[in-house]
Structures are given as C-alpha cells and as structure tokens.
Amino acid sequence: MTDAPAGQAAGANRGAPAERARARQWRGLIEEYRDRLPVDSGTPVVTLREGGTPLVASEGLSQLTGCRVWLKFEGANPTGSFKDRGMTLAISKAVQAGAKAVLCASTGNTSASAAAYAAKAGLVCGVLIPRGKIALGKLAQALVHGATVIQVEGNFDRALDICRTLDEKHPVRLVNSVNPDRIAGQKTGAFEVCDFLGSAPDVHVMPVGNAGNITAYWAGYREYFADGVADRLPVMHGFQAAGGGADRQRRRRRVAVDDRDGDQIGNPASWTFATAAAEESGGSIRAVTDRDILKAYRLVAREGVFCEMASAASVAGLLQLSAAGHLPTGATVVCVLTGHGLKEPDWALAGAAQPPVIPPDVDAAAELLGLAG
Ligand code: F0G
C-alpha cells in the first residue's frame, strides 16, 4: 500500500511528503516518552495515540487573576479524559505480563478508558461502578467497548475494595490508579506542560478525587527537575468538590456536582502521596463548592473549552486562590481540565434556554439573531 494520495502519478519521491507528515504526528505517549517509562523492547504498545493534549492560553482567566493562565485540556484524549495516559501503560504492561482480563472500580472515566484499551488489546474488561451514579456518556463508553459492567450498591470506595480483593484472589489485573503503571503513564502530563512552556509553571492547579493524578503530576515535575529538564518545581494545589476527602464532614451536597463525578470520593486511595505533593511544593489541597465549580465550568465554556464538570474544580480553585491573594501577580499557572464536557451534556443543557423554533424563513431567523434593521 502506498501513502500517496489516490490518483497521484507514480514518481520518485511520492512517499516522502507523507513520511514527513507522519513524522510530525504524535505517536502516543509511550513512544514519545519511552525512555522515561517502565517499558522495554518486549513491551507490546497498546495505544490509541493518547497524550499530546493542548495547553490552551486563557485570556479571560489571565485577566481575572493577573496571572498567565493555561488550560491543559485532557478531554482531548481518545476516550475524553486523562485516564488514557495511565491506561495505555497499564494495559500494555498487563499484556506483557500475560494477563487475559483487567478490572477496575470507577465513577466513569476509568471504566471508559479501561474498556477502550482492553478492547484494543483483546482483553476481557470488568468494571464495578457505584449503582446509578455514573454519567450516561461514560456508561455508554464502557458498554460500547464491550466491558462487563456491574453496578454495586454503595459508593466508589466500596467498589474499589471489592476490586482489590478480586485482584488478590483471581487472575485479573487491577487497573485503578493504585496500579503504579497508571501513575507512571499519567506523569507524562507534567512532561508535556514543561516541554511546551520550556519549564515547569510557577503554580499547578488540578482536581483531586482518588488523588492518583496529583501524585502522578508531582512525580513528573520532580523527575524533570531532578534531570535538569525543568529549572523549577511548581507549587501544587489540588481541589476537591466539597464533600470529598478534603471535606468529609460536610453535609450532603445539594447543588451541581453529585456522586457521579470523579472528585466525589470519601477515602482517596493515594491521599498520603497527594498531601505530600501539596506540602513538599508549598501548596495545598482544599475544597471548592459546587456553585463555584459550575461557575468555572461556564467560564471556560465561554472561551471555547468544553470540560467535564468535575474538571472545572481546578479553575474554581484558581479563582479561590486568586481571591485569597495566594497567587503572585504575573505567575504562570497551569490548570488541568481532566475530562470532556460531552460525557455529561445535561449540565450544559441545564443552564441554557430551549432554542426557539421558527418557520423556514430568513426574516424570522434574522430577527432572532438581532440582524434585522
Ligand atoms: N477529574 C475527573 C474527570 C475524574 O474522572 C477523576 C477521577 C478525577 C478528576 C480525579 O482524579 O482520582 O486521580 O484524583 N475519576 C475516577 C474514575 C475515580 O473512576 O473515573 P484522581
């Protein structure tokens, strides 16, 4: 098969432009960061070309905070969340170890990602979700990729407990973020930020749920700093929706973010690492309210970035830090937006008016668009 466009006459160099174009394509994060990941020449690379996600400059948030704010949009990963970074490695290593089945507990994004990568690798995938509490888009992903989905009467923490026990007793591989390959894959997010900015940002802000991702980013930043690739370490701030591990005593939430979201976990598995990351870097882990998360979600949407509700905890956190005077003026700040808004469009629709209906008439459309003279 040739890479030349159909109909192109055979010529001496016809393959060259295609090869150059292909060389510019992102290869997936295992190939891009092979020397920094626990893989060897025998590791079968299971990839959907994850990573390489955009770091988008936010003029609006920069103006609001007096900082240079960047949004790391992880919703641009193949299954629409940052989980793909860890999953490409976890599934590749599972295949290398001869696993035939993988298992995870999930509030939705992990299961979507595990199901997709397991399908790519031809592995059986089992998913335990809290009953009735995962967004429709995420459930659809797990199902369409052929995972066996089981609903557990209880929250995410209970589902994870069951998975851990199954992992001990049966020949399945757990691919939750307690699996170190997940963390190793996810640390590439920090590499990409540094590669793009030329060093680490001054401040890094992100949502925290089970606390795997903040652990991973901190590991990534430390690795680049230790190797002299980055000349500084960022201050790390993690934000949980009120009601999560940062705020366990709080009364039941009423407003926007409910238990479906990734950052509603009462007993985060990597909590010790997460608090260490925050403390070592001079940062913090705090709670943000549902109302503030919703506001942040709408703010970034008005700049063209459609993120998942739980993701916007980072931007809500940024605004909280700014209001409290915790952000140095002119600082470079990166906010991670962990997932894509299309996974749960009901939040977007809830805030919008029903589009009006008109007859097929130009004047009626012009009138409603404010174009009529
Ligand atoms: N943001 C989103 C969109 C998530 O889905 C999650 C976690 C987090 C943030 C928190 O990341 O756990 O590494 O601190 N979702 C998990 C899941 C728990 O099952 O999909 P963390």
Side-chain angles (χ1 to χ4, degrees), residues 2-331:
T2 164
D3 286 306
Q8 184 175 313
N13 286 325
R14 73 174 179 185
E19 252 160 57
R20 276 202 299 278
R22 195 181 313 125
R24 283 197 301 271
Q25 294 262 318
W26 182 263
R27 292 169 297 169
L29 60 85
I30 294 183
E31 292 307 346
E32 296 290 338
Y33 292 108
R34 176 171 275 277
D35 54 339
R36 295 189 173 277
L37 295 172
V39 289
D40 55 44
S41 56
T43 311
V45 177
V46 181
T47 182
L48 296 168
R49 301 248 176 149
E50 57 297 307
T53 57
L55 195 61
V56 183
S58 169
E59 286 79 18
L61 292 170
S62 297
Q63 256 173 31
L64 279 175
T65 59
C67 296
R68 289 175 49 221
V69 180
W70 297 89
L71 304 172
K72 180 70 171 157
F73 185 44
E74 290 289 276
N77 275 299
T79 77
S81 89
F82 71 99
K83 306 284 182 180
D84 296 345
R85 290 183 185 278
M87 212 53 82
T88 181
L89 193 62
I91 299 290
S92 297
K93 297 294 289 287
V95 173
Q96 186 170 22
K100 295 281 176 271
V102 293
L103 182 69
C104 69
S106 182
T107 59
N109 279 327
T110 302
S111 55
S113 185
Y117 283 82
K120 180 79 177 149
L123 299 180
V124 169
C125 178
V127 167
L128 270 65
I129 57 172
R131 182 182 172 196
K133 287 178 181 162
I134 91 167
L136 209 57
K138 301 176 188 177
L139 180 61
Q141 287 181 286
L143 293 171
V144 82
H145 295 310
T148 302
V149 180
I150 299 169
Q151 303 195 64
V152 177
E153 304 269 14
N155 65 5
F156 170 85
D157 302 343
R158 286 294 302 127
L160 182 58
D161 285 345
I162 295 170
C163 285
R164 284 176 136 156
T165 310
L166 289 171
D167 178 48
E168 279 162 24
K169 294 192 172 160
H170 300 277
V172 289
R173 183 167 276 227
L174 188 62
V175 293
N176 279 102
S177 61
V178 291
N179 176 330
D181 294 326
R182 282 278 314 280
I183 304 294
Q186 285 172 210
K187 75 182 176 181
T188 58
F191 298 163
E192 285 177 21
V193 168
C194 296
D195 289 344
F196 188 90
L197 295 177
S199 187
D202 300 306
V203 180
H204 177 101
V205 192
M206 63 192 301
V208 170
N210 213 23
N213 209 25
I214 189 169
T215 305
Y217 266 89
W218 184 232
Y221 283 128
R222 271 193 336 224
E223 185 174 323
Y224 257 28
F225 182 65
D227 292 349
V229 186
D231 65 359
R232 76 193 82 149
L233 285 167
V235 175
M236 303 284 292
H237 291 284
F239 285 89
Q240 284 204 310
D247 187 20
R248 269 176 234 164
Q249 313 309 329
R250 191 175 174 265
R251 68 200 181 288
R252 267 210 66 72
R253 297 165 302 287
R254 291 181 312 265
V255 198
V257 182
D258 63 23
D259 291 279
R260 287 180 306 184
D261 298 292
D263 56 2
Q264 290 304 325
I265 292 162
N267 184 23
S270 303
W271 195 242
T272 329
F273 298 117
T275 47
E279 275 164 26
E280 282 169 28
S281 73
S284 61
I285 295 188
R286 302 166 200 248
V288 274
T289 64
D290 304 336
R291 187 187 293 271
D292 288 346
I293 294 175
L294 190 56
K295 235 161 71 185
Y297 165 83
R298 291 190 175 138
L299 260 178
V300 294
R302 289 310 177 107
E303 285 196 46
V305 178
F306 190 16
C307 74
E308 198 181 325
M309 180 67 73
S311 297
S314 58
V315 172
L318 168 86
L319 297 173
Q320 187 192 98
L321 291 169
S322 173
H326 293 320
L327 293 178
T329 309

